[in-house]
Amino acid sequence: MDNVIEVNGITKVYKMGEVEVHALCGVSFSIERGEVVAIMGPSGSGKSTLMNMIGCLDRPSGGDYYLDGELVSSLTDDQLAVIRNKKVGFVFQSFNLLSRVSSLANVELPLRYAGITNGRRDLARAALESVGLGDRITHRPTELSGGQQQRVAVARAIVNNPAIIMADEPTGNLDSKVGQEIMDLLLSLNKERGTTLIIVTHDANVAAQTGRVIRLIDGHLDEESNESKPKPKPVPVKRKRAKVQKEAGEGSES
């Protein structure tokens, strides 16, 4: 069994003055490489916080998180940025594209941040072609439909060949037909590339197309509903924290 994600007792506490808000309360689960998983729950359940933890956008208050075998739960901001760029591709509900530059330039961004210069344009072009936009590489987002903009966002997410794709309500701003086209695209990329796909969604129809649903309620796993499908058993993984620190720099500060 090859776990790309292993979360052990993750907690997150936000301090608002003298008040502490417990967003995550000892959450534990694992996700196998190549799985398609939905994260669901009512507003305030901790979905967005969990997405931020998995996507290396934030650090937990407690517990351990291993991404692709590397301990990332206690890294500095600079070290998290290294992991985030190499290991995670993001697709957002609002696309988050730069409106004044072309589709090609938008898709090139992760490669620029990674310091890749040789073949960068060819890699971005190939990613756009893989999502059916090979004839739209010079178009700006304002010249594209909503579905096409989301395809650009998907191309940007996969251009670095990440271990996982985090999709936050990827169909939320699209009509049902176009939304299903985006789901079909994400699922096809999962099958073709073996990339782990994690979708945060309120849409039961979207969740029904995944292999497993992780449900949260008040910062806890909803164990009763999560038991409807088998969960992988945790297994030992190789710890590579030293490698991450070497790449990002031992002296990095938050």
Side-chain angles (χ1 to χ4, degrees):
M1 189 181 298
D2 185 10
N3 291 334
V4 70
I5 286 174
E6 187 177 338
V7 173
N8 297 316
I10 287 292
T11 63
K12 184 63 180 180
V13 180
Y14 295 104
K15 292 186 178 181
M16 304 175 66
E18 297 182 356
V19 177
E20 290 188 346
V21 178
H22 294 261
L24 293 175
C25 307
V27 173
S28 298
F29 61 87
S30 57
I31 296 176
E32 291 183 43
R33 190 178 308 278
E35 264 199 285
V36 181
V37 177
I39 297 176
M40 299 190 75
S43 297
S45 63
K47 295 191 308 300
S48 295
T49 301
L50 181 58
M51 185 195 77
N52 289 342
M53 299 297 113
I54 295 175
C56 300
L57 295 168
D58 198 1
R59 288 171 289 184
S61 302
D64 291 326
Y65 170 37
Y66 293 90
L67 170 59
D68 209 16
E70 300 184 65
L71 179 63
V72 299
S73 48
S74 58
L75 299 181
T76 66
D77 289 346
D78 287 344
Q79 292 167 336
L80 284 176
V82 171
I83 293 294
R84 190 164 57 240
N85 181 262
K86 292 184 175 181
K87 302 288 187 180
V88 187
F90 293 95
V91 180
F92 298 99
Q93 178 177 352
S94 56
F95 318 138
N96 286 14
L97 301 175
L98 299 179
S99 61
R100 296 185 179 182
V101 300
S102 68
S103 299
L104 190 66
N106 270 283
V107 176
E108 279 187 84
L109 281 175
L111 301 173
R112 288 180 179 273
Y113 296 147
I116 296 173
T117 55
N118 293 335
R120 185 172 65 205
R121 181 150 295 190
D122 290 338
L123 289 170
R125 182 180 290 106
L128 283 164
E129 289 173 351
S130 73
V131 300
L133 288 181
D135 59 344
R136 294 289 190 274
I137 63 173
T138 62
H139 288 61
R140 296 179 181 181
T142 53
E143 300 170 320
L144 301 173
S145 67
Q148 289 172 332
Q149 290 183 62
Q150 193 62 298
R151 286 176 181 270
V152 173
V154 172
R156 181 184 59 192
I158 65 174
V159 72
N160 261 351
N161 195 27
I164 63 174
I165 294 177
M166 293 289 307
D168 184 15
E169 299 285 358
T171 64
N173 280 349
L174 307 172
D175 63 40
S176 58
K177 180 178 181 296
V178 176
Q180 186 57 53
E181 290 175 356
I182 295 300
M183 272 302 298
D184 291 341
L185 172 62
L186 290 170
L187 293 171
S188 69
L189 289 169
N190 163 260
K191 291 180 180 179
E192 293 167 5
R193 295 169 174 248
T195 306
T196 306
L197 176 59
I198 303 173
I199 302 175
V200 179
T201 184
H202 287 92
D203 191 334
N205 291 327
V206 169
Q209 298 176 63
T210 67
R212 180 158 63 113
V213 178
I214 295 174
R215 299 182 188 276
L216 292 175
I217 183 167
D218 296 334
H220 299 267
L221 284 182
D222 186 351
E223 297 292 350
E224 183 176 347
S225 62
N226 287 323
E227 287 176 357
S228 61
K229 292 188 178 181
K231 298 188 285 290
K233 297 179 181 179
V235 296
V237 295
K238 294 180 180 179
R239 311 312 190 195
K240 305 177 185 175
R241 182 176 176 183
K243 178 181 176 183
V244 177
Q245 290 176 329
K246 182 177 179 181
E247 292 177 353
E250 290 283 346
S252 298
E253 298 181 355
S254 305

Coordinates of all heavy atoms in Angstrom, one line a residue, residues 184-231:
D184 N -15.2 15.3 -15.6 CA -14.8 14.3 -16.5 C -13.3 14.5 -16.8 O -12.5 13.5 -16.9 CB -15.6 14.2 -17.8 CG -17.0 13.8 -17.6 OD1 -17.3 13.1 -16.6 OD2 -17.9 14.1 -18.5
L185 N -12.9 15.7 -17.0 CA -11.5 16.0 -17.3 C -10.6 15.6 -16.1 O -9.6 15.0 -16.3 CB -11.3 17.5 -17.6 CG -9.9 18.1 -17.8 CD1 -9.2 17.4 -18.9 CD2 -9.9 19.6 -17.9
L186 N -11.0 16.0 -14.9 CA -10.2 15.7 -13.7 C -10.1 14.2 -13.5 O -9.0 13.7 -13.2 CB -10.8 16.4 -12.5 CG -10.7 17.9 -12.4 CD1 -11.6 18.4 -11.3 CD2 -9.3 18.3 -12.2
L187 N -11.2 13.5 -13.7 CA -11.1 12.1 -13.6 C -10.3 11.4 -14.6 O -9.6 10.4 -14.3 CB -12.6 11.5 -13.6 CG -13.5 11.9 -12.4 CD1 -14.9 11.5 -12.6 CD2 -12.9 11.3 -11.1
S188 N -10.3 11.9 -15.8 CA -9.5 11.3 -16.9 C -8.0 11.5 -16.6 O -7.2 10.7 -16.9 CB -9.9 11.9 -18.3 OG -9.6 13.3 -18.4
L189 N -7.7 12.7 -16.1 CA -6.3 13.0 -15.8 C -5.8 12.1 -14.7 O -4.7 11.6 -14.6 CB -6.1 14.5 -15.4 CG -6.3 15.5 -16.5 CD1 -6.3 16.9 -16.0 CD2 -5.1 15.4 -17.5
N190 N -6.7 11.8 -13.7 CA -6.4 10.9 -12.6 C -6.1 9.5 -13.2 O -5.1 8.8 -12.8 CB -7.5 10.8 -11.7 CG -7.5 9.6 -10.7 OD1 -8.2 8.6 -11.0 ND2 -6.7 9.6 -9.7
K191 N -6.9 9.0 -14.2 CA -6.7 7.7 -14.7 C -5.4 7.7 -15.6 O -4.6 6.7 -15.6 CB -7.9 7.3 -15.6 CG -9.1 7.0 -14.7 CD -10.3 6.6 -15.6 CE -11.5 6.3 -14.8 NZ -12.7 6.0 -15.7
E192 N -5.2 8.7 -16.4 CA -4.0 8.7 -17.3 C -2.7 8.9 -16.6 O -1.7 8.3 -17.0 CB -4.2 9.8 -18.3 CG -5.4 9.6 -19.3 CD -5.8 10.8 -20.1 OE1 -5.0 11.9 -20.0 OE2 -6.8 10.8 -20.8
R193 N -2.7 9.8 -15.6 CA -1.4 10.1 -14.9 C -1.2 9.5 -13.6 O -0.1 9.5 -13.0 CB -1.4 11.7 -14.7 CG -1.3 12.5 -16.1 CD -1.5 13.9 -15.8 NE -1.3 14.7 -17.0 CZ -0.3 15.6 -17.2 NH1 0.6 15.8 -16.3 NH2 -0.2 16.2 -18.4
G194 N -2.3 9.0 -13.0 CA -2.2 8.4 -11.7 C -2.1 9.4 -10.6 O -1.7 9.1 -9.4
T195 N -2.4 10.7 -10.9 CA -2.3 11.7 -9.9 C -3.5 11.6 -8.9 O -4.6 11.4 -9.2 CB -2.4 13.1 -10.5 OG1 -1.4 13.2 -11.6 CG2 -2.2 14.2 -9.5
T196 N -3.1 11.7 -7.6 CA -4.1 11.7 -6.5 C -5.0 12.9 -6.7 O -4.5 14.0 -6.8 CB -3.5 11.6 -5.2 OG1 -2.6 10.5 -5.1 CG2 -4.5 11.5 -4.1
L197 N -6.3 12.7 -6.6 CA -7.3 13.8 -6.8 C -8.1 14.0 -5.5 O -8.8 13.0 -5.1 CB -8.2 13.6 -8.0 CG -9.3 14.6 -8.3 CD1 -8.7 16.0 -8.5 CD2 -10.1 14.1 -9.5
I198 N -8.1 15.2 -4.9 CA -8.8 15.5 -3.7 C -9.7 16.6 -4.0 O -9.3 17.7 -4.4 CB -7.9 15.8 -2.5 CG1 -7.0 14.6 -2.2 CG2 -8.7 16.1 -1.2 CD1 -5.9 14.9 -1.2
I199 N -11.0 16.4 -3.8 CA -12.0 17.4 -4.2 C -12.8 17.9 -3.0 O -13.4 17.0 -2.3 CB -13.0 16.9 -5.3 CG1 -12.3 16.5 -6.5 CG2 -14.0 18.0 -5.6 CD1 -13.1 15.8 -7.6
V200 N -12.7 19.1 -2.6 CA -13.6 19.7 -1.5 C -14.9 20.2 -2.2 O -14.8 21.0 -3.1 CB -12.8 20.8 -0.8 CG1 -13.7 21.4 0.3 CG2 -11.5 20.4 -0.3
T201 N -16.0 19.7 -1.7 CA -17.2 20.0 -2.4 C -18.4 19.9 -1.5 O -18.4 19.2 -0.5 CB -17.4 19.0 -3.6 OG1 -18.6 19.4 -4.3 CG2 -17.6 17.6 -3.1
H202 N -19.5 20.7 -1.9 CA -20.8 20.6 -1.2 C -21.7 19.7 -2.1 O -22.8 19.4 -1.7 CB -21.4 22.0 -1.0 CG -20.8 22.8 0.1 ND1 -19.8 23.7 -0.2 CD2 -21.1 22.8 1.4 CE1 -19.4 24.3 1.0 NE2 -20.2 23.8 1.9
D203 N -21.3 19.4 -3.3 CA -22.2 18.8 -4.3 C -22.1 17.3 -4.2 O -21.1 16.7 -4.4 CB -21.7 19.3 -5.7 CG -22.7 18.9 -6.8 OD1 -23.4 17.9 -6.6 OD2 -22.7 19.6 -7.9
A204 N -23.3 16.7 -3.8 CA -23.4 15.3 -3.6 C -23.1 14.5 -5.0 O -22.6 13.4 -5.0 CB -24.7 14.9 -3.1
N205 N -23.5 15.2 -6.1 CA -23.3 14.5 -7.4 C -21.8 14.4 -7.7 O -21.3 13.5 -8.3 CB -24.0 15.3 -8.5 CG -25.5 15.2 -8.4 OD1 -26.0 14.1 -8.0 ND2 -26.2 16.3 -8.8
V206 N -21.0 15.5 -7.3 CA -19.6 15.4 -7.5 C -19.0 14.4 -6.6 O -18.2 13.6 -7.1 CB -19.0 16.8 -7.2 CG1 -17.5 16.7 -7.2 CG2 -19.4 17.8 -8.3
A207 N -19.4 14.4 -5.4 CA -18.8 13.4 -4.4 C -19.1 12.0 -4.8 O -18.3 11.1 -4.6 CB -19.4 13.7 -3.0
A208 N -20.3 11.7 -5.5 CA -20.7 10.4 -5.9 C -19.7 9.8 -6.9 O -19.7 8.6 -7.2 CB -22.1 10.4 -6.3
Q209 N -19.0 10.7 -7.6 CA -18.1 10.2 -8.7 C -16.7 9.9 -8.2 O -15.8 9.5 -9.0 CB -18.0 11.3 -9.8 CG -19.4 11.6 -10.4 CD -19.3 12.7 -11.5 OE1 -18.6 12.6 -12.5 NE2 -20.0 13.8 -11.2
T210 N -16.5 10.1 -6.9 CA -15.2 9.8 -6.3 C -15.2 8.4 -5.7 O -16.2 7.8 -5.6 CB -14.8 10.8 -5.2 OG1 -15.7 10.7 -4.1 CG2 -14.9 12.3 -5.8
G211 N -14.0 7.9 -5.4 CA -13.9 6.6 -4.8 C -14.2 6.5 -3.3 O -14.5 5.5 -2.8
R212 N -14.1 7.7 -2.6 CA -14.2 7.7 -1.2 C -14.6 9.1 -0.7 O -14.2 10.1 -1.3 CB -12.9 7.3 -0.5 CG -13.0 7.2 1.1 CD -11.9 6.3 1.6 NE -10.6 6.8 1.3 CZ -9.7 7.2 2.3 NH1 -10.1 7.3 3.5 NH2 -8.5 7.6 1.9
V213 N -15.4 9.2 0.3 CA -15.8 10.5 0.8 C -15.3 10.6 2.3 O -15.6 9.7 3.1 CB -17.3 10.7 0.8 CG1 -17.7 12.0 1.4 CG2 -17.8 10.6 -0.6
I214 N -14.6 11.6 2.6 CA -14.2 11.9 4.0 C -15.1 13.1 4.4 O -15.1 14.2 3.9 CB -12.7 12.4 4.0 CG1 -11.8 11.2 3.6 CG2 -12.4 12.9 5.4 CD1 -10.3 11.6 3.5
R215 N -15.9 12.8 5.5 CA -16.9 13.8 6.0 C -16.4 14.3 7.3 O -15.9 13.6 8.2 CB -18.2 13.1 6.2 CG -18.8 12.6 4.9 CD -20.2 12.0 5.1 NE -20.7 11.4 3.9 CZ -21.3 12.0 2.9 NH1 -21.6 13.3 3.0 NH2 -21.8 11.3 1.8
L216 N -16.5 15.6 7.4 CA -16.2 16.3 8.7 C -17.4 16.9 9.3 O -18.3 17.4 8.6 CB -15.1 17.4 8.4 CG -13.7 17.0 8.0 CD1 -12.9 18.3 7.6 CD2 -13.0 16.2 9.0
I217 N -17.4 17.0 10.6 CA -18.4 17.7 11.4 C -17.8 18.3 12.6 O -17.2 17.6 13.4 CB -19.6 16.8 11.7 CG1 -20.7 17.6 12.4 CG2 -19.2 15.6 12.5 CD1 -22.1 16.9 12.5
D218 N -17.9 19.6 12.8 CA -17.3 20.3 13.9 C -15.9 19.9 14.2 O -15.4 19.8 15.4 CB -18.1 20.0 15.2 CG -19.6 20.5 15.1 OD1 -19.8 21.5 14.3 OD2 -20.5 19.9 15.7
G219 N -15.1 19.8 13.1 CA -13.6 19.6 13.3 C -13.3 18.1 13.5 O -12.1 17.8 13.7
H220 N -14.2 17.2 13.5 CA -14.0 15.8 13.7 C -14.4 15.0 12.5 O -15.3 15.5 11.7 CB -14.8 15.3 14.9 CG -14.5 15.9 16.2 ND1 -13.6 15.4 17.1 CD2 -15.0 17.0 16.8 CE1 -13.5 16.2 18.2 NE2 -14.4 17.2 18.0
L221 N -13.7 13.9 12.3 CA -14.2 13.0 11.3 C -15.6 12.5 11.7 O -15.8 12.1 12.8 CB -13.3 11.8 11.1 CG -12.0 12.0 10.3 CD1 -11.2 10.7 10.2 CD2 -12.2 12.6 9.0
D222 N -16.5 12.4 10.7 CA -17.8 11.8 11.0 C -17.7 10.3 10.8 O -17.9 9.8 9.7 CB -18.9 12.4 10.0 CG -20.3 11.9 10.2 OD1 -20.4 11.0 11.1 OD2 -21.2 12.5 9.6
E223 N -17.3 9.6 11.8 CA -16.9 8.2 11.7 C -18.0 7.3 11.1 O -17.8 6.4 10.4 CB -16.4 7.7 13.1 CG -15.2 8.4 13.6 CD -13.9 8.1 12.8 OE1 -14.0 7.2 12.0 OE2 -12.9 8.7 13.1
E224 N -19.2 7.6 11.5 CA -20.3 6.8 11.1 C -20.5 6.8 9.6 O -20.6 5.7 8.9 CB -21.6 7.2 11.8 CG -22.8 6.3 11.4 CD -24.1 6.7 12.1 OE1 -24.0 7.5 13.1 OE2 -25.2 6.3 11.8
S225 N -20.5 8.0 9.0 CA -20.6 8.1 7.5 C -19.4 7.6 6.8 O -19.4 7.0 5.7 CB -21.0 9.5 7.1 OG -19.9 10.4 7.5
N226 N -18.2 7.8 7.4 CA -16.9 7.5 6.8 C -16.7 6.0 6.7 O -15.9 5.4 6.0 CB -15.7 8.1 7.4 CG -15.7 9.6 7.1 OD1 -16.0 10.0 6.0 ND2 -15.3 10.4 8.1
E227 N -17.4 5.2 7.6 CA -17.3 3.8 7.6 C -18.0 3.1 6.5 O -17.9 1.9 6.3 CB -17.8 3.2 9.0 CG -16.8 3.5 10.1 CD -17.4 3.1 11.4 OE1 -18.5 2.6 11.5 OE2 -16.7 3.2 12.4
S228 N -18.8 3.9 5.7 CA -19.5 3.2 4.6 C -18.6 2.7 3.5 O -19.0 1.8 2.7 CB -20.5 4.3 4.0 OG -19.7 5.4 3.4
K229 N -17.4 3.2 3.4 CA -16.4 2.7 2.5 C -15.1 2.3 3.2 O -14.8 3.0 4.2 CB -16.1 3.7 1.4 CG -17.3 3.9 0.5 CD -16.9 4.8 -0.7 CE -18.1 5.0 -1.7 NZ -17.7 5.8 -2.8
P230 N -14.4 1.3 2.8 CA -13.2 0.9 3.6 C -12.1 1.9 3.5 O -11.9 2.6 2.5 CB -12.8 -0.4 2.8 CG -13.4 -0.3 1.5 CD -14.7 0.4 1.7
K231 N -11.4 2.1 4.6 CA -10.3 3.0 4.7 C -9.0 2.3 4.7 O -8.9 1.2 5.3 CB -10.4 3.9 6.0 CG -11.7 4.7 6.0 CD -11.6 5.7 7.2 CE -11.8 5.0 8.5 NZ -13.2 4.5 8.7

